[in-house]
Amino acid sequence: MPESPLPPALRALLVQRHFHEPFPPAGVDELIAALDHVALAPGATLMRQGDAGDELYLVLDGRLSVGVEHDDGTTTTVDEIGPGGVVGEMALLTGAPRSATVQSIGRCDLARLSRADFERLAAHYPEALQEFLRRILPRLRRTQLVRVLTELFGDLDEAALRAIEARLAWVPLAGGATLFREGDGGDDVYIVVNGRLRVTTTDRDGRERVLEEIGRGAAVGELALLTGETRAATVVAVRDSDLLRLSKAAFDELTDTQPRAMMQVARAAATRLRRGARRKVQRLRTARTLALVPAHANIPVALFARRLEQALARGESTLRLGSADVDRLLARPGIAQTGDDSVIHDAIVAWLSGQERDHGCLLLEADAEWTPWTRRCLRQADRVLIVARAGDDPAPGPLESALRDAGAHARRELVLIHDDATAMPTGTAAWLEARELAAHHHVRLGNERDVGRVARRVSGLATGLVMGGGGARGFAHIGMLRALSEDGIDVDVVGGTSFGGLVAAACAAGMPVERMMELAQAFASRSKLLDRTLPMTSLLAGAKVTRILGQLFGEQRIEDLWTPLFLVSSGLSRASVVLHRHGEVWKAVRASTAIPAIFPPMLGDDGEVLVDGNVMNNMPLDIMRELCENGPVLGLNPMPTADKVKAYRFGASLSGWSALFGRLGWFGIRTRAPSILGLAMRATEINSANRMRQPSFRALADLIVEPPLAEYPILAFDKYAPIVDIGYRSAKEALAGWSAGAMPGD
C-alpha cells in the first residue's frame, strides 16, 4: 500500500469531489498539503475489522468493497464505495477500532488524512471541518443500519440489503416522545437502530401497564402492519432513539422480492401474539445501559460503579465508562465533553451504540456537575441510578434538579449507600417523598450480598419469592426458605399474602430460619392468638395478634428493609388489591392477615377498609413478575387447589341448634353443615384456587411449589413442625427438578 505526495491530477478530483464550497481556499490548500496519496492494487486490503486506526481515506478513483464479519465467522458485503466516498471516518473521529474490512475491487487511488493533521486543521478551520464531517455522517448511520438489518433479517446478500435499505426511512425519536398511541391507525413497522422504546397498554381500570421494553434490533408495530387493525399499544421512547420506518406498501413490495427477509417480521409478530396469549404481564427486555448520577457532591460514585461492574460481570460482559475513560479510549482529551450540537456528538453516540452491542451492560458514570457528558449519559441510558449517601440531606441537589428539568424519561431508581457497620437502614421515607422513583436500593459497599442484589435488580434479573396465604399451612414457607438457603439461592425480592406475608416480612427483616421456628412455636398456642369478643364485626378482637406483631417488628418500615418487600391486602370499599410497599411493617402484616369475620379489619390511611389479601390475590405472582422483569419468580402455594367436596346435609333454612346437634350426633339429628369459621375461611380460598388453576396465571412463575397440606386445617398452628418439614421436602424436590431444567410453574 504505497504512499506518496498527491499528484496534481488527483488534487483536482479531490477539490471537485470533497472540498468544494463552503471550504475556504486557504483551508483547502493546507488540507491538500497534509494528504498522502495511497495507491491500491486490485484485491488489496486497506484495513481489517477490529484493527486500530487513526486515519481517514478519501476515494479519488476506483471502488472499495466493505465487509462486516459476524461472530459465526461469516462475512456480509455491506457496501461499495466509489469516487467521492469516504472510509475510516469513525477511527478518525473517535479512535475506535475499524468496524469493517475494506478491500479494493480494482485499482484505487485514495487520499489519506491522519488524525493528527485532522485535529490540527480542525482547530484552524472549525466550521469547514464541521461541514465536512456532516457530509460523511450518513456513512456512520449506514454502518449502524447494516448491522441491525443483518442481525434482524439474517445474512443477506448486498442486493437484498440495498433493496431493503432503499425502502426504509430514518426516524429520530427524542427521549419521552410518543411514536404512536393505543387505538391509533397506521400500518408502518419500525426497527430500532439505537435506543429503547417502552410499550404500554391501558387496563380496564385505567391503569397503564408496561408490556415490554425493546431495544436495538427489535421491531415494533408489525401487528398493525400484518392485520390492518389499530395500534394495540402505546410506544414511547425511553431515551433518544433512532428508528427505521417500513411502510405497508414497501413491505408488500419486499415480500414479493425478498420473502425470506420479510418472513422475519411476520415471525416477530407471531411470537409477540403467542407471548401475549400466555402471559398477562410480559417479561421485559433487560436494561443494557445504566447511568449513575451522584445526588450530591463527593458521592463515591466511582467506587460504587466498580463494585457494581464486578457484580454484573459475573453474569455478562460489562463496560464502565466515565468521561475520563471515554477520553482515554478514544485517545482524544476532552472529547467526552463535546456538546450535542457538534457532529462529533453523533460519532460518540454511534461509538456508544457499538459498545452496547459488544457488551451485555454499559455503566455510564455521570460527572458531579451538569456537563455535556452528564447530559449524554442521561440521553443514552435505559435506566438512571441516583447514587446517594444514606446519612446526607435527602433533598434533591442541583444535579438532580437539572436532571428533572432536562426531561429524562428513563426509569429512575435510588441507590442509598450505607456504612458497612449499618445494622438496619432508617429514614428512607424522606428520600422517597422527595422523588418519583420506580425502585430504591440499600447497599453496603463492603457487603457482597448487597451489591449482588443491586446488580441483579438493576439488570432486570432479580430472583423473587412469593409466599401465599393459607393459615397454619403457611409454616411451609419456613421450610422453603431453608431449602433455598441450602441450595445457595439468594432471594432479591420477597412478597406475600396473609400468613405468607408474615413469613415474607420476617424474611425481609433478616430473621434467620431458626428464629422463625421459635416464632412458629409461639403461634402454636391458640391462647396467645385468640381473643374472643362480641361478634359485631369479627369473632376475635385482634389485640393479641396485634401485640405479637408489634413486638416482632417494632418500628421497622418496609422501605428500610435490606431485602425489598411487598405485602397484599384487600380493600373492601373499592374492591381492589392494596399493595403495601411503604409504611410500618406490623401494620401491613396485620392488614394482610385480617381474615374477614375472624379478625377485625384494619383502617388504611386513606380510609380504606383492609382485610386479608387472600380475598383478592393470595399468590401475587403478577406483582412479583413486574418487579423481577426477566428474573426467576419462585412461589410456594400452601392452599390446596383441589375441590373440597363434603357430604353435607341441610335445607334452605338452617337452625343453629340443628347444626350443633347434628355435629354432636345428638337426638338422631343428621344435619351436616359447614361452620361459620369454615365458611369464612373457604370463602377467602376460592378466588385463589380459581386463579391458581389458570395456566396463564401459573406461567407468570418459573417454579411453583405446592406441598401436600390438605389434611392440615387452616388453624392447625400446633402442627407447625410437620408442616415446615413438608414444605422443606417439597421445595427441595421441586428445586432439584427446576435446576435440572424442569419448569413446574409453566
Side-chain angles (χ1 to χ4, degrees):
M1 192 168 64
E3 297 182 7
S4 61
L6 203 63
L10 293 180
R11 291 190 182 191
L13 287 175
L14 184 70
V15 174
Q16 175 186 347
R17 290 171 174 164
H18 291 282
F19 297 114
H20 45 79
E21 295 291 340
F23 291 98
V28 172
D29 291 341
E30 191 171 346
L31 179 64
I32 291 176
L35 295 174
D36 295 316
H37 174 220
V38 175
L40 287 182
T45 298
L46 179 65
M47 61 185 70
R48 291 193 178 278
Q49 184 173 325
D51 287 350
D54 59 357
E55 59 272 315
L56 170 147
Y57 296 90
L58 308 170
V59 182
L60 305 176
D61 198 18
R63 302 189 69 80
L64 299 173
S65 172
V66 181
V68 173
E69 300 173 9
H70 306 294
D71 293 338
D72 61 3
T74 61
T75 299
T76 300
T77 300
V78 298
D79 204 1
E80 284 190 11
I81 303 175
V86 180
V87 66
E89 65 281 354
M90 278 296 286
L92 184 72
L93 294 173
T94 67
R98 301 300 191 186
S99 60
T101 296
V102 180
Q103 296 177 308
S104 60
I105 296 175
R107 187 186 184 285
C108 294
D109 289 303
L110 314 173
R112 172 187 171 275
L113 176 63
S114 71
R115 182 170 183 171
D117 286 330
F118 171 82
E119 292 178 350
R120 175 175 56 81
L121 292 167
H124 292 168
Y125 307 99
E127 293 183 4
L129 267 297
Q130 283 285 327
E131 176 62 26
F132 171 67
L133 293 175
R134 287 190 179 92
R135 292 178 186 176
I136 65 175
L137 182 60
R139 276 209 35 82
L140 296 180
R141 288 184 168 179
R142 187 170 193 279
T143 300
Q144 296 173 285
L145 179 152
V146 168
R147 284 188 176 275
V148 167
L149 291 185
T150 53
E151 290 172 6
L152 181 62
F153 296 132
D155 185 17
L156 303 174
D157 58 34
E158 183 183 357
L161 280 174
R162 289 192 176 278
I164 296 171
E165 180 187 358
R167 291 161 178 81
L168 293 169
W170 193 277
V171 179
L173 196 66
T178 299
L179 182 62
F180 51 73
R181 296 188 180 278
E182 185 176 358
D184 286 353
D187 54 9
D188 298 335
V189 63
Y190 296 86
I191 300 167
V192 183
V193 179
N194 291 314
R196 191 171 182 85
L197 305 178
R198 181 176 296 132
V199 184
T200 66
T201 188
T202 303
D203 287 347
R204 292 179 179 177
D205 59 4
R207 187 168 70 98
E208 183 180 81
R209 182 180 295 278
V210 178
L211 296 180
E212 60 180 332
E213 288 188 359
I214 61 175
R216 178 182 174 278
V220 65
E222 69 277 11
L223 293 178
L225 181 145
L226 294 174
T227 65
E229 298 176 355
T230 58
R231 300 295 189 185
T234 298
V235 177
V236 178
V238 174
R239 63 189 235 204
D240 288 359
S241 303
D242 291 313
L243 315 176
L244 298 170
R245 181 175 63 84
L246 181 65
S247 69
K248 178 67 164 61
F251 177 84
D252 291 341
E253 183 180 349
L254 287 170
T255 299
D256 293 334
T257 60
Q258 305 294 333
R260 182 169 67 91
M262 293 303 101
M263 186 60 68
Q264 292 292 96
V265 175
R267 288 197 186 102
T271 299
R272 187 168 297 184
L273 283 170
R274 286 196 303 271
R275 189 172 59 214
R278 287 198 310 266
R279 299 187 184 274
K280 291 183 179 180
V281 181
Q282 307 296 341
R283 299 200 181 197
L284 310 183
R285 297 192 179 203
T286 55
R288 293 176 62 87
T289 302
L290 310 174
L292 279 56
V293 179
H296 300 288
N298 301 318
I299 300 295
V301 172
L303 178 58
F304 170 67
R306 286 196 295 272
R307 295 283 193 275
L308 185 60
E309 178 188 21
Q310 292 167 359
L312 289 168
R314 296 188 186 103
E316 58 184 347
S317 172
T318 302
L319 178 64
R320 176 173 52 88
L321 295 172
S323 57
D325 298 310
V326 174
D327 290 351
R328 173 177 53 81
L329 290 172
L330 300 186
R332 190 169 180 179
I335 191 173
Q337 303 299 349
T338 302
D340 56 13
D341 57 346
S342 168
V343 71
I344 295 178
H345 163 77
D346 297 296
I348 296 174
V349 170
W351 178 75
L352 288 174
S353 177
Q355 301 310 304
E356 188 177 80
R357 181 188 66 245
D358 296 337
H359 297 85
C361 185
L362 287 188
L363 297 178
L364 304 181
E365 292 180 39
D367 299 325
E369 298 85 27
W370 187 250
T371 63
W373 170 248
T374 295
R375 177 177 171 82
R376 186 175 296 113
C377 289
L378 296 173
R379 291 178 62 176
Q380 298 302 311
D382 300 329
R383 192 165 300 194
V384 175
L385 304 183
I386 301 168
V387 185
R389 264 191 303 255
D392 288 352
D393 182 356
L399 186 54
E400 277 194 82
S401 299
L403 183 155
R404 182 183 61 248
D405 296 340
H409 294 271
R411 171 186 170 114
R412 296 185 198 178
E413 302 181 8
L414 175 68
V415 177
L416 287 174
I417 297 177
H418 301 264
D419 291 337
D420 287 351
T422 303
M424 183 64 70
T426 58
T428 309
W431 288 90
L432 303 183
E433 289 169 2
R435 296 165 176 83
E436 291 185 9
L437 300 166
H440 69 281
H441 313 266
H442 296 292
V443 60
R444 294 159 291 193
L445 294 181
N447 188 304
E448 186 174 335
R449 190 169 187 176
D450 286 355
V451 178
R453 181 176 57 247
V454 173
R456 290 186 293 272
R457 290 184 66 201
V458 299
S459 59
L461 298 174
T463 296
L465 176 60
V466 176
M467 302 184 184
R473 298 166 182 150
F475 285 130
H477 296 303
I478 301 176
M480 182 160 187
L481 289 173
R482 178 184 293 164
L484 289 170
S485 177
E486 289 180 357
D487 286 8
I489 299 175
D490 287 327
V491 175
D492 300 312
V493 184
V494 63
T497 298
S498 196
F499 198 84
L502 169 61
V503 181
C507 172
M511 184 181 295
V513 168
E514 294 74 21
R515 175 71 179 90
M516 291 185 191
M517 290 300 292
E518 296 175 7
L519 176 65
Q521 188 175 12
F523 272 82
S525 173
R526 293 193 179 189
S527 64
K528 294 181 180 180
L529 296 177
L530 309 183
D531 47 0
R532 293 176 176 83
T533 186
L534 184 66
M536 295 293 292
T537 301
S538 59
L539 296 176
L540 304 176
K544 290 185 176 180
V545 169
T546 299
R547 187 180 308 114
I548 290 175
L549 296 178
Q551 293 171 348
L552 183 62
F553 296 108
E555 297 181 355
Q556 286 183 330
R557 297 180 63 86
I558 295 175
E559 62 269 23
D560 288 332
L561 301 174
W562 293 112
T563 301
L565 167 73
F566 72 84
L567 300 177
V568 171
S569 66
S570 302
L572 290 186
S573 304
R574 301 178 178 88
S576 62
V577 172
V578 178
L579 187 61
H580 301 268
R581 297 186 66 186
H582 306 92
E584 292 174 277
V585 176
W586 78 263
K587 286 185 177 180
V589 174
R590 174 67 178 77
S592 185
T593 56
I595 304 170
I598 309 300
F599 291 103
M602 286 284 285
L603 196 61
D605 294 337
D606 59 353
E608 178 63 276
V609 178
L610 305 175
V611 298
D612 197 309
N614 193 2
V615 174
M616 295 294 294
N617 192 349
N618 192 54
M619 280 291 290
L621 302 174
D622 49 348
I623 297 170
M624 186 62 81
R625 172 49 64 200
E626 288 188 356
L627 295 176
C628 291
E629 302 177 65
N630 272 350
V633 169
L634 316 178
L636 186 145
N637 175 30
M639 194 76 76
T641 57
D643 296 329
K644 293 185 176 182
V645 180
K646 295 186 178 181
Y648 291 124
R649 292 189 299 273
F650 58 89
S653 62
L654 179 62
S655 164
W657 294 109
S658 177
L660 175 61
F661 296 154
R663 180 171 301 177
L664 297 175
W666 290 0
F667 311 117
I669 295 175
R670 303 181 62 192
T671 299
R672 293 291 184 271
S675 66
I676 293 176
L677 179 61
L679 282 171
M681 301 299 289
R682 183 56 178 166
T684 64
E685 294 179 16
I686 56 177
N687 180 52
S688 170
N690 181 56
R691 295 190 89 190
M692 290 305 296
R693 290 171 182 155
Q694 299 172 11
S696 61
F697 187 76
R698 295 176 67 87
L700 294 171
D702 297 283
L703 174 69
I704 299 176
V705 180
E706 294 182 288
L709 297 169
E711 66 178 86
Y712 292 93
I714 205 164
L715 293 180
F717 290 101
D718 58 328
K719 304 296 183 182
Y720 68 90
I723 293 174
V724 170
D725 184 61
I726 291 172
Y728 169 76
R729 287 187 282 108
S730 297
K732 288 291 285 186
E733 181 181 355
L735 287 169
W738 181 55
S739 300
M743 303 289 273
D746 289 344

